[in-house]
Amino acid sequence: MDLAYLRAHPEHLPTFLTHQRIRETPVSGGDICAASRLTLDDGHSVFAKTWPEHASRQRPDHFFATEAAGLRWLRKAGAVAVPEVIVALPDLLALEWVDPGEPSSEAAERFGRELAALHRAGAPAFGADWPGFIGALPADNTPDEGPWSRWFAERRLVPYLRMSIDNGALGPAEQALVEQVATRTGHLGGDEPPARVHGDLWPGNVLWGADDRAWLVDPAAHGGHRETDLAQLALFGGAPHLDRILAAYQEVWPLTDGWRERVPLHQLHLMLVHTALFGSAYRDAVAHTARAALSGRGRATVDG
């Protein structure tokens, strides 16, 4: 099997894998899926993701189809580097292989400019035309005209707060803080028309390639607020050369006044996703981020 054959007959890939007709090498694939590098007969490689056989939860319907739709939508903007979707099947996703490299200040500046162009490509509404996921959790992507502040509270804060309460990760004190943020998003936050966003842009979902470009992977793509992507880049130690990314972004599409103070508001979504997925280990992070959002201090980044 070569790359041309695979593009023409993507449905044959599982059979070739089952009969060990393709060299398969495990690689790092994140917290949810099993990942591998598949080396084809013509020397090309592809990156493949599957749902782990012994996972604690079943693969949600449309899981890989959603990721494929998001990647194609981001790639269609012709702005930032996004791997080509080669195979999208219910149980398997195969993407263009990207040789990893080291982050550089030049690549960071290019990424900042390209990310601004991606966001500027826009979206017809908040949400998307496909079912949403963030990690393994569902995300309500029902298209909505907004405003963003209401949509964000209803679709990106409250659902994950409820999940985090139900699983015992958050208690009454944290619930009260997040609910206060949710009721005040209209006052806290810089409504804008929907941008074309990655949606889960913590630094681990930026792949720095050997071609000296930053590639976007593992999206939860939808129409959202551009500040959300930028705020998520500052989480968990921050993306390399984040200051250069932001400066280059600002040259292309300046952010509106008060964006630094709104960083915790945008970060709160991923913090709630973490308590919903991983439990009480992120309880303090949720409380800290919610308090920072309410105070308008900004920069409530989370390390670890």
Side-chain angles (χ1 to χ4, degrees):
M1 175 180 280
D2 58 23
L3 187 57
Y5 183 93
L6 183 58
R7 285 194 173 107
H9 305 282
E11 71 280 3
H12 291 177
L13 181 56
T15 301
F16 276 76
L17 288 172
T18 299
H19 294 285
Q20 298 182 339
R21 297 281 301 278
I22 297 175
R23 192 172 75 196
E24 183 175 8
T25 307
V27 296
S28 175
D31 297 322
I32 305 299
C33 294
S36 58
R37 179 177 185 171
L38 308 182
T39 304
L40 308 180
D41 291 338
D42 61 0
H44 284 100
S45 292
V46 297
F47 175 81
K49 299 172 68 171
T50 57
W51 194 260
E53 290 184 12
H54 304 294
S56 59
R57 66 180 78 196
Q58 289 187 328
R59 173 185 55 77
D61 291 340
H62 312 295
F63 183 77
F64 289 121
T66 289
E67 182 172 348
L71 288 165
R72 287 169 173 146
W73 187 60
L74 297 176
R75 185 178 169 91
K76 186 178 180 181
V80 70
V82 179
E84 175 193 357
V85 176
I86 297 171
V87 178
L89 301 173
D91 295 313
L92 184 151
L93 183 68
L95 309 175
E96 172 185 3
W97 178 262
V98 178
D99 286 319
E102 295 296 326
S104 67
S105 57
E106 292 80 9
E109 290 178 3
R110 180 175 181 176
F111 176 49
R113 293 190 293 269
E114 291 176 339
L115 187 60
L118 173 69
H119 290 164
R120 230 172 190 166
F126 296 104
D129 291 332
W130 48 82
F133 292 96
I134 182 80
L137 298 177
D140 186 351
N141 269 354
T142 305
D144 191 312
E145 295 300 317
W148 170 81
S149 52
R150 175 189 56 76
W151 172 86
F152 186 71
E154 293 179 356
R155 308 289 180 85
R156 293 299 185 264
L157 296 183
V158 172
Y160 304 99
L161 171 62
R162 290 173 178 157
M163 293 180 202
S164 301
I165 293 167
D166 289 346
N167 71 6
L170 298 181
E174 295 80 25
Q175 178 180 353
L177 281 170
V178 175
E179 287 177 343
Q180 191 176 355
V181 174
T183 60
R184 294 190 60 197
T185 51
H187 300 286
L188 297 173
D191 279 315
E192 289 189 3
R196 187 170 306 209
V197 302
H198 178 283
D200 189 12
L201 199 55
W202 70 285
N205 284 342
V206 180
L207 175 59
W208 300 87
D211 57 356
D212 209 29
R213 294 189 74 184
W215 293 69
L216 297 187
V217 296
D218 293 340
H222 63 277
H225 200 304
R226 61 192 179 121
E227 290 177 15
T228 302
D229 273 354
L230 297 173
Q232 291 173 348
L233 280 173
L235 288 168
F236 309 120
H241 308 291
L242 181 58
D243 56 337
R244 306 291 284 270
I245 295 171
L246 293 172
Y249 186 104
Q250 293 266 46
E251 290 175 5
V252 175
W253 192 10
L255 295 161
T256 59
D257 291 345
W259 70 269
R260 292 185 185 277
E261 288 70 32
R262 291 189 292 270
V263 165
L265 171 64
H266 291 275
Q267 292 178 339
L268 185 56
H269 166 52
L270 272 194
M271 291 299 96
L272 290 167
V273 168
H274 276 67
T275 49
L277 271 174
F278 306 119
S280 60
Y282 288 90
R283 177 182 292 177
D284 290 345
V286 165
H288 171 72
T289 306
R291 289 191 190 100
L294 291 169
S295 72
R297 290 195 305 268
R299 293 190 173 275
T301 57
V302 175
D303 295 326

